[in-house]
């Protein structure tokens, strides 16, 4: 059983529990899968280069923008000279 919670459906006609037909947008699914994998790779790369930064939250929707938030403090800015716009808490 797969359960997905959605909003915006009109179930007032008494069809709760009825079978439904769904489809997967394969292009969007592939894009999301690539973004998800890229987020994990980015977090692992950053963590291997700067162990004091740990990936904590990732958002992987190419339609809305992808990011990984890291937690920690850099000991020195020189350890991460090629990184730009690091979002630190």
């Amino acid at each position: 059983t797969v359960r997905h919670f959605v909003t915006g459906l009109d179930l007032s006609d008494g069809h709760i529990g009825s079978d439904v037909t769904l489809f997967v947008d394969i292009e969007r699914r592939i894009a999301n899968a690539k973004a998800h994998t890229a987020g994990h790779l980015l977090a692992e790369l950053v963590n291997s280069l700067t162990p004091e930064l740990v990936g904590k939250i990732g958002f992987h929707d190419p339609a809305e923008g992808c990011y990984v938030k890291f937690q920690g403090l850099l000991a020195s800015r020189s350890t991460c000279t090629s990184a730009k716009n690091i979002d630190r808490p």
Side-chain angles (χ1 to χ4, degrees), residues 5-88:
F5 299 92
V6 297
T7 58
L9 295 178
D10 180 9
L11 299 175
S12 61
D13 57 4
H15 290 112
I16 295 174
S18 298
D19 290 342
V20 296
T21 301
L22 304 173
F23 73 95
V24 173
D25 179 336
I26 194 66
E27 290 180 15
R28 181 173 177 174
R29 175 70 184 94
I30 290 171
N32 286 342
K34 288 179 179 180
H36 183 93
T37 300
H40 285 286
L41 292 172
L42 175 63
E44 185 61 30
L45 175 66
V46 169
N47 187 244
S48 69
L49 295 173
T50 55
E52 61 271 31
L53 294 180
V54 178
K56 289 293 184 179
I57 298 172
F59 184 76
H60 316 296
D61 185 350
E64 296 188 32
C66 303
Y67 62 84
V68 176
K69 285 190 176 184
F70 295 89
Q71 185 175 27
L73 296 174
L74 290 174
S76 167
R77 288 196 173 267
S78 64
T79 58
C80 204
T81 56
S82 62
K84 304 287 186 211
N85 300 320
I86 293 177
D87 183 13
R88 291 181 282 169

